[in-house]
């Protein structure tokens, strides 16, 4: 168990979750403001998720995975992965909020949690892999 807890991947996961928490503050903050002013929940989700994705990329790149080369390519990859999961959360909002009437903040929270796990795996393997010299 100790070996797992001190492994690089586990430490990166913990940092990813902490950075994700910061991203959630950005995401949910923007989302709450936009929906407070009666913006459609799906559109508000796309805008707020994009703000969180941009925030998290820079934090993960510089403080977690510590890769600074090919930043534009890494950003495009991270942004693409993030937008795939934004589609997931937006579809979840459409189905569970717009169609079925569930509370939008609860649906967004659950969908975002699932999306975060998917993002970590894809970003660790693809976006932030270290390139040999």
């Amino acid at each position: 168990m100790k070996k797992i807890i001190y492994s690089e991947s586990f430490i990166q996961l913990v940092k990813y979750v902490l950075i994700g928490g910061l991203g959630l503050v950005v995401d949910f903050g923007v989302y709450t403001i936009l929906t407070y002013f009666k913006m459609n929940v799906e559109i508000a989700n796309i805008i707020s998720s994009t703000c969180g994705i941009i925030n998290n990329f820079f934090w993960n790149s510089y403080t977690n995975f510590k890769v600074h080369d090919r930043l534009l390519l890494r950003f495009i990859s991270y942004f693409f992965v993030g937008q795939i999961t934004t589609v997931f959360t937006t579809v979840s909002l459409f189905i569970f909020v717009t169609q079925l009437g569930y509370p939008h903040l609860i649906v967004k929270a659950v969908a975002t949690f699932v999306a975060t796990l998917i993002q970590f795996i894809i970003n660790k393997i693809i976006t932030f892999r270290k390139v040999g010299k």
Side-chain angles (χ1 to χ4, degrees):
M1 186 64 150
K2 209 174 194 181
K3 186 176 181 180
I4 293 171
I5 291 173
Y6 291 106
S7 71
E8 181 181 23
S9 290
F10 185 78
I11 292 168
Q12 286 175 335
L13 175 60
V14 170
K15 287 181 181 179
Y16 194 86
V17 169
L18 292 173
I19 291 168
L22 177 60
L24 282 175
V25 170
V26 171
D27 182 356
F28 274 77
V30 171
Y31 179 82
T32 300
I33 291 167
L34 294 175
T35 56
Y36 176 80
F37 289 107
K38 306 299 183 212
M39 181 177 280
N40 172 281
V41 293
E42 292 89 359
I43 293 170
N45 182 65
I46 291 167
I47 294 169
S48 68
S49 293
T50 299
C51 293
I53 289 166
I54 293 168
N55 173 77
N56 289 4
F57 170 76
F58 289 105
W59 281 104
N60 271 304
S61 182
Y62 285 96
T63 64
N64 189 7
F65 297 103
K66 296 181 180 145
V67 288
H68 311 118
D69 63 324
R70 305 174 349 163
L71 274 182
L72 181 60
L73 288 174
R74 291 181 191 281
F75 177 76
I76 291 168
S77 174
Y78 190 87
F79 190 78
F80 181 71
V81 170
Q83 290 306 326
I84 289 171
T85 56
T86 296
V87 169
F88 171 77
T89 58
T90 302
V91 169
S92 296
L93 284 164
F94 176 74
I95 292 169
F96 293 104
V97 176
T98 304
Q99 298 298 311
L100 299 175
Y102 287 89
H104 67 102
L105 288 175
I106 293 171
V107 172
K108 181 163 174 60
V110 171
T112 300
F113 175 78
V114 173
T116 299
L117 295 176
I118 296 166
Q119 283 177 339
F120 173 75
I121 293 166
I122 295 171
N123 282 319
K124 179 168 175 50
I125 294 170
I126 297 172
T127 305
F128 293 113
R129 77 175 178 269
K130 296 196 175 151
V131 179
K133 296 190 179 194

